[in-house]
Amino acid sequence: NWSCEVIHTVRPANLTDSNTTTWISNYLPDLFFAAAMVVVCGWEKNFSAMSDDPASAVSWEAHDQRLRASALGDEVRKKYVSTGA
């Protein structure tokens, strides 16, 4: 018996008018939304500490990090529960 593990980095294409979905938008929509909100909140406030609500992007970033940790836990669990051929 032997096994083989392939590890590589996947860089999906950017979202465009012709490419409307990614793996994250399909399978982790809550994480996709939180990550988008981090960028939008920062863009809206021009990433300025002098804005009306400087904690808004930070708050979404914290939420994004919690969702990432949860998704990573699920992926690790799936990896070790699955059986190889």
Side-chain angles (χ1 to χ4, degrees):
N1 285 334
W2 63 277
S3 65
C4 177
E5 181 177 5
V6 178
I7 300 172
H8 66 93
T9 301
V10 175
R11 303 233 189 268
N14 293 333
L15 290 174
T16 62
D17 289 339
S18 61
N19 183 27
T20 58
T21 62
T22 65
W23 186 87
I24 291 176
S25 67
N26 283 337
Y27 296 104
L28 299 170
D30 52 347
L31 178 60
F32 180 79
F33 181 76
M37 288 303 295
V38 170
V39 174
V40 168
C41 286
W43 177 80
E44 182 182 46
K45 306 294 183 187
N46 199 21
F47 291 97
S48 169
M50 301 302 289
S51 66
D52 293 336
D53 186 10
S56 138
V58 174
S59 176
W60 275 107
E61 176 68 21
H63 185 64
D64 177 70
Q65 293 302 322
R66 283 191 303 275
L67 290 171
R68 285 177 192 240
S70 174
L72 179 60
D74 289 345
E75 289 303 310
V76 168
R77 195 170 17 264
K78 283 193 285 187
K79 178 180 178 180
Y80 289 104
V81 169
S82 67
T83 58

